[in-house]
Amino acid sequence: MEKIMEVRNLRKSFGKKEYETLVLKDVSLEISKGDFIAVMGPSGAGKTTLLNLLSTLDKPSSGQLILDGEDITKVDNKRLSAIRRDKIGFIFQDYNLLDGMTLQDNIALPLSLNGVKGKVVLEKVQKMADLFDLNAHLLKYPYQLSGGQKQRGASARALITEPKILFADEPTGALDSKSSKDLLKSFLSANEMGKATILMVTHDAYTASYAKQVYFLADGQIQCRLHQKGSPKEFYEEILNLLASMGGERA
């Protein structure tokens, strides 16, 4: 299986000397093409810090991040910007759509900025709209959309460049249960069709149950991992049971 990202002995600390706080402690993991990984853990475990490091939004204190065969901890800012543009997709909890543009134009924006021809852009937007069930909403503006529609639009925008890996920060955190389910089904379809390798951070066991693997982070380290073997419902129960055994809430 093609390796997308290798994380080797990743450490991140904040502060200086006697005031230093170590948030991540020698985290190592591999992400292969076609993976769908959820990262869970209690507040303060380092989930968001890990996501920010893997997605190049922040830099580690030490360790290696190898994306598509390249150590991205050693590249300059110009190269890092190109890597973000060409190889990384990111979905934020609060959508980050541009209010003055239609949903269609929001989805198309990354390609338009890269100078892709209009006909190609429209074809790709249509494919994303089909995948995320957005055809009826393409000409609407963000204020005319529900939270679920906005998040599916943001996801379509993140995937339209066909990134090597898609990072998602609590993607269902602001959504109701139906909108969450619709979004997760689209993620699953994109993953199963080979269009997306996904790593998402979530506090929600139901959201995590759509992933193929769940990593549990605590005290800055990966404490254990679960791999989906049965149905999503069975995986959900397995996640809840593990959370309860680790001192989390079974709910």
Side-chain angles (χ1 to χ4, degrees):
M1 187 68 71
E2 177 189 349
K3 287 181 183 177
I4 300 297
M5 178 172 272
E6 296 176 72
V7 181
R8 300 175 181 171
N9 302 315
L10 202 65
R11 293 171 71 89
K12 180 65 178 179
S13 59
F14 296 95
K16 296 181 179 179
K17 295 183 179 179
E18 65 267 23
Y19 301 106
E20 183 179 56
T21 300
L22 189 59
V23 179
L24 291 178
K25 310 169 187 176
D26 297 315
V27 172
S28 296
L29 60 94
E30 290 185 358
I31 304 170
S32 298
K33 183 177 175 60
D35 278 351
F36 187 174
I37 297 170
V39 178
M40 300 190 74
S43 178
K47 303 186 300 295
T48 298
T49 299
L50 178 62
L51 187 70
N52 288 344
L53 295 179
L54 299 188
S55 61
T56 76
L57 295 179
D58 196 5
K59 293 187 177 182
S61 300
S62 63
Q64 286 183 296
L65 282 172
I66 300 171
L67 175 61
D68 200 24
E70 182 176 9
D71 188 344
I72 59 176
T73 61
K74 295 180 178 179
V75 301
D76 59 28
N77 288 334
K78 183 177 180 181
R79 175 61 187 148
L80 200 56
S81 294
I83 290 169
R84 290 191 191 109
R85 180 191 68 212
D86 298 335
K87 298 185 179 184
I88 292 174
F90 202 104
I91 301 169
F92 299 90
Q93 184 175 330
D94 56 358
Y95 326 127
N96 282 9
L97 297 177
L98 298 177
D99 292 334
M101 299 174 69
T102 64
L103 182 60
Q104 177 173 279
D105 289 341
N106 266 285
I107 295 171
L109 186 59
L111 297 182
S112 300
L113 292 175
N114 288 347
V116 177
K117 292 182 178 179
K119 182 180 179 181
V120 175
V121 171
L122 289 175
E123 289 174 354
K124 288 182 176 289
V125 168
Q126 186 59 57
K127 289 179 180 179
M128 287 295 105
D130 290 342
L131 179 61
F132 287 96
D133 192 22
L134 291 168
N135 283 296
H137 309 291
L138 287 176
L139 299 183
K140 295 179 182 178
Y141 289 86
Y143 74 88
Q144 298 173 300
L145 301 172
S146 68
Q149 290 159 359
K150 289 178 186 177
Q151 192 62 299
R152 296 203 306 277
S155 302
R157 180 183 59 189
L159 279 177
I160 199 167
T161 59
E162 300 178 12
K164 286 286 184 179
I165 186 166
L166 176 68
F167 294 104
D169 184 10
E170 297 280 7
T172 62
L175 305 181
D176 60 38
S177 58
K178 182 184 183 305
S179 296
S180 295
K181 190 172 184 179
D182 290 343
L183 177 67
L184 292 167
K185 283 183 175 180
S186 296
F187 278 3
L188 197 57
S189 294
N191 177 254
E192 291 176 344
M193 292 166 61
K195 294 182 179 294
T197 298
I198 303 169
L199 184 142
M200 69 177 174
V201 162
T202 181
H203 68 281
D204 179 58
Y206 178 77
T207 297
S209 70
Y210 275 77
K212 294 176 180 175
Q213 305 99 19
V214 180
Y215 293 1
F216 293 87
L217 198 66
D219 299 321
Q221 296 177 307
I222 295 174
Q223 301 291 343
C224 56
R225 312 176 191 205
L226 288 180
H227 295 263
Q228 188 183 54
K229 300 185 181 77
S231 68
K233 184 178 180 180
E234 291 170 332
F235 197 36
Y236 173 60
E237 287 295 325
E238 192 176 359
I239 293 167
L240 288 177
N241 289 332
L242 185 55
L243 286 172
S245 73
M246 294 176 70
E249 296 182 5
R250 195 193 136 84

